[in-house]
Amino acid sequence: MASGFFITFEGGEGAGKSTQIERLARRMRAKRYDVLVTREPGGSPGAEAVRHVLLSGAAEPFGPKMEAILFAAARSDHVEQVIRPAVEHGSVVLCDRFVDSSRVYQGVTGGLDPAFMEALEAVAINGMVPDMTLIFDIDPAEGLKRAALRRGADDGPDRFEKETLAVHQRRREAFLAIAKAEPERCVVIDAAADPDAVENVVTEAVFAALENRLPVQRKQTAPA
Ligand code: TYD
């Protein structure tokens, strides 16, 4: 079976992930790659239904465990309905946020038990580990400023943006710790550089990884 490539984009708020995903998709399509751009929470009809519940803050009063399970439910649907079929069909999937966001936002700054988070992750992704993860690193003060500009004056910050700078700082450190622990999967991108420079770094890293890729062995525990 043809095997595609699964790339996730992670990092704090306002790091420019979405802009860079669009630019990378354009570059890859110009080289005739079949590219699918998607995002979390969301990306499939079932997961999009859960997205609003999470980002509006409707689930917040029920605690981080409830939110973590909802993110996982959305992720499971997204993986089985969209990501796995596309990768098996040979596409390159570019996904804005994935499991590392849950590890950081719910696990680290939500204070949830690591064993619980691991079990939830295994159920949600069912072997669909990213081939490559780009971690967009930026000083949270700068990132939040950018996120506020992007939102405009009328909209307030969402459930996860609204937390204190200290919380965003802990998230930044947690993403960097993941990159350090899993260097074969993760590449840290300096997201403070200007967008054209970031685009060049991202493009080079991704094309190099695609050229050197090994056939991936994904362990799925149950049929989709
Ligand atoms: P979104 O509006 O998609 O923006 P962005 O990715 O540009 O920040 O917001 C998604 C929010 O949800 C973001 O604050 C991170 C948070 N999130 C989690 O807390 N856990 C998760 O597993 C995911 C995927 C996202």
Side-chain angles (χ1 to χ4, degrees):
M1 195 185 295
S3 180
F5 206 65
F6 178 32
I7 310 179
T8 58
F9 295 72
E10 298 277 8
E13 312 293 330
K17 290 180 280 94
S18 326
T19 307
Q20 293 298 333
I21 290 171
E22 285 308 325
R23 289 183 180 213
L24 176 65
R26 222 177 297 139
R27 292 242 203 163
M28 297 193 85
R29 286 176 181 134
K31 289 197 184 269
R32 307 245 169 265
Y33 281 97
D34 181 15
V35 179
L36 177 82
V37 173
T38 187
R39 63 138 184 221
E40 290 206 346
S44 63
E48 289 291 333
V50 178
R51 177 180 172 91
H52 177 70
V53 175
L54 285 162
L55 298 192
S56 66
E60 188 178 3
F62 309 113
K65 199 165 180 182
M66 169 76 119
E67 290 178 311
I69 293 169
L70 289 171
F71 275 112
R75 179 160 303 128
S76 169
D77 191 69
H78 186 210
V79 164
E80 302 308 345
Q81 300 302 319
V82 174
I83 298 173
R84 194 188 318 276
V87 171
E88 285 181 353
H89 173 260
S91 302
V92 176
V93 174
L94 308 180
C95 186
D96 194 340
R97 296 193 183 280
F98 196 59
V99 281
D100 299 304
S101 285
S102 282
R103 289 184 188 179
V104 168
Y105 284 71
Q106 282 66 56
V108 177
T109 58
L112 294 177
D113 173 32
F116 170 78
M117 289 306 296
E118 262 174 49
L120 203 53
E121 176 175 318
V123 169
I125 72 173
N126 194 10
M128 199 68 220
V129 177
D131 294 292
M132 181 181 201
T133 297
L134 303 181
I135 298 202
F136 282 62
D137 180 55
I138 192 164
D139 176 351
E142 176 61 27
L144 290 170
K145 225 189 289 167
R146 287 187 188 181
L149 275 177
R150 180 186 65 192
R151 259 194 332 263
D154 297 340
D155 273 336
D158 72 27
R159 151 76 182 94
F160 297 96
E161 275 172 11
K162 73 175 165 54
E163 284 168 306
T164 64
L165 195 54
V167 169
H168 290 287
Q169 188 58 44
R170 283 175 59 212
R171 289 176 181 156
R172 180 189 201 187
E173 283 156 18
F175 276 120
L176 292 175
I178 291 172
K180 206 163 168 201
E182 295 183 54
E184 64 300 329
R185 172 170 71 91
C186 301
V187 178
V188 177
I189 303 290
D190 174 9
D194 79 84
D196 291 345
V198 176
E199 179 180 344
N200 288 335
V201 172
V202 167
T203 307
E204 247 172 63
V206 168
F207 283 123
L210 277 166
E211 273 165 28
N212 297 325
R213 77 171 130 171
L214 300 168
V216 272
Q217 301 288 322
R218 289 200 173 87
K219 252 214 179 117
Q220 206 182 335
T221 52

